[in-house]
Amino acid sequence: MTRFLPPLLLAVLLLAVWELACRLLHVPPWFLPPPSAVAAALIERAPLLAASAAATFWMALQALLVAALLGGGLALAVSLSRPAEQAVRPLAVALQVTPVVAIAPLVMIWAGLDHADRAVVALAATVAFFPLFSGVLTGLKSADPDLERLFDLYGAAPVQRLIRLRLPAALPFVLEGLRVAAGLAVIGAVVAEFVSGSGATQGLAWRLLEAGNRLRTADMLAALACLMVMGLLLNAVVGLLERAVRRSLS
């Protein structure tokens, strides 16, 4: 309770100030509705928002799994060869700095308009790829130098060194990269759905576009609230996984 009470009190205070400001200043509802109107929209559109949140969450989860497999697998492969790492790292950085909105139309063409969900997953995985690749690769290079020399002394094979020394040392970096990538996967899924401009996925981004076109600001804020809660839950799940792994290793 001592951990969650301060942010809860702050959230309640901010909501109260928001409600009072909207009522005292007579702010137009289409410009900024009070929290009570947002809560009413949440209740009224709960089934639709829940279905859209589930769709966005599923696409973000798929993107996170794809990014973990590709980013982690590629980092493991190139960590065994210095020339391979020098060749791959600039390409990974180039992929990271390329805006997702710039490659979204191309990915939509490749995936096909009938498979917009595949395009969203691919774009979200692209956003989440680099933190996992960089985290795994940095972690694999963070092993104790004295232990590295000990493995050299005993003539350990590269695979033995990877499994018995570098993977355990990389675990904290992997978990931190997974935490960052989880948030980016949600962001990437929403941005990709915005850019795709297709309602086929029926995710939260589509609900935001739909409400914005109709100037239903309360519905937009309700969808944003669902999106924030979903991101917090995904981050909490990754945090629980991290603590469970740390306890099992301690």
Side-chain angles (χ1 to χ4, degrees), residues 44-175:
E44 179 185 350
R45 298 172 62 84
L48 189 61
L49 290 174
S52 297
T56 299
F57 180 81
W58 175 237
M59 289 186 291
L61 185 59
Q62 290 180 84
L64 184 60
L65 292 175
V66 171
L69 290 175
L70 294 180
L74 185 61
L76 284 173
V78 302
S79 67
L80 300 174
S81 172
R82 181 67 177 173
E85 178 188 345
Q86 292 175 339
V88 170
R89 183 179 281 275
L91 297 178
V93 174
L95 184 64
Q96 173 66 14
V97 300
T98 302
V100 66
V101 294
I103 61 175
L106 186 61
V107 176
M108 284 294 298
I109 293 174
W110 289 341
L113 296 178
D114 295 333
H115 302 287
D117 56 333
R118 297 179 185 177
V120 172
V121 171
L123 291 167
T126 301
V127 175
F129 169 83
F130 187 76
L132 286 163
F133 172 80
S134 180
V136 173
L137 189 58
T138 302
L140 291 172
K141 297 167 62 178
S142 66
D144 190 336
D146 293 333
L147 292 177
E148 290 277 7
R149 286 190 288 269
L150 182 63
F151 273 67
D152 289 335
L153 180 64
Y154 283 96
V159 176
Q160 290 177 318
R161 186 190 301 268
L162 176 65
I163 296 175
R164 299 185 179 182
L165 174 61
R166 292 183 175 175
L167 280 178
L171 190 58
F173 297 87
V174 174
L175 292 173

Side-chain angles (χ1 to χ4, degrees), residues 53 57 179 182-183 186 225-241 243:
F57 180 81
R179 182 189 294 272
V186 175
C226 292
L227 189 60
M228 287 188 289
V229 170
M230 185 179 65
L232 290 173
L233 287 176
L234 188 58
N235 189 268
V237 169
V238 175
L240 290 174
L241 176 63
R243 286 192 288 272

